[in-house]
Amino acid sequence: EPYWADLLSRIESRQGFPERLFTDSLRLRRTLGMLGSAGDYEDLAELTQRAGFPAEAQAVMEEGFAKGVLGKGSDAAKQQKLREAVTRKATEDRKDLAQPDGAAARVKDGDALVRLGYAVFTSGQQDKGLQLMEQGIARPDLKRGDEARLMLGYAQFQSGAKAKAVA
């Protein structure tokens, strides 16, 4: 764990580290059990909600509360308010994503399809979400292939398909 903490710290502090990758860095910290502070949980929840993944934000907040990191001290009311907001948005999102309205057919490019797939994945429809992500990666109009494959690998790891995630 000290190796990962040092490595992530060095990467994040490098000149030119893209801010959009900070969410992925926090996701990796969470996967490694290295989200320690209330600020880490709040940052990840806010970033994932802003990115369009409210179900992931809800899971992050629930984990923080379950571990006793959130819901205490002078920021307890603010944290509870964030928890309620992400829970409300995640509930709405799950209803929207469950509608068979062909949302995947309306996306504009491979990157959007990967993001939709990840939203579907985090809302509880893992197989469907992984399938949409793979379809997005296969499209010729995919612009951020490395980031899309990183997101797919993370989802595969979360679903227990570790060999696929490593590949």
Side-chain angles (χ1 to χ4, degrees):
E1 185 176 307
Y3 172 78
W4 280 107
D6 182 54
L7 179 65
L8 288 170
S9 178
R10 287 175 189 236
I11 290 171
E12 292 166 359
S13 64
R14 286 180 65 183
Q15 182 77 21
F17 180 74
E19 189 174 315
R20 71 180 187 278
L21 295 181
F22 186 61
T23 305
D24 293 316
S25 178
L26 286 172
R27 282 178 175 137
L28 181 55
R29 287 180 186 277
R30 179 177 177 224
T31 301
L32 296 170
M34 294 172 44
L35 279 186
S37 71
D40 287 344
Y41 282 95
E42 291 174 89
D43 287 347
L44 183 55
E46 289 172 351
L47 288 168
T48 54
Q49 175 155 314
R50 238 182 289 144
F53 309 119
E56 182 179 16
Q58 180 186 19
V60 169
M61 290 301 291
E62 293 306 323
E63 180 181 305
F65 274 90
K67 289 185 174 184
V69 176
L70 300 176
K72 315 188 275 195
S74 60
D75 288 334
K78 180 183 106 178
Q79 294 162 355
Q80 182 60 35
K81 187 175 179 179
L82 178 59
R83 181 188 200 183
E84 291 167 3
V86 299
T87 298
R88 185 172 42 257
K89 181 63 178 148
T91 301
E92 292 169 10
D93 203 47
R94 282 186 184 96
K95 287 179 188 173
D96 290 344
L97 292 172
Q99 298 296 321
D101 64 355
R106 292 193 313 267
V107 297
K108 44 189 171 185
D109 57 38
D111 297 282
L113 190 55
V114 170
R115 291 178 51 75
L116 174 64
Y118 189 71
V120 169
F121 176 86
T122 59
S123 74
Q125 301 175 60
Q126 290 188 348
D127 291 339
K128 181 179 177 184
L130 290 169
Q131 181 183 22
L132 290 170
M133 294 173 77
E134 289 168 353
Q135 289 172 5
I137 289 171
R139 285 181 56 160
D141 56 1
L142 182 72
K143 293 179 182 88
R144 292 192 166 153
D146 289 342
E147 290 176 36
R149 284 185 287 283
L150 176 64
M151 191 173 280
L152 174 62
Y154 180 69
Q156 289 169 327
F157 183 83
Q158 294 298 102
S159 72
K162 293 178 184 173
K164 284 184 176 182
V166 169

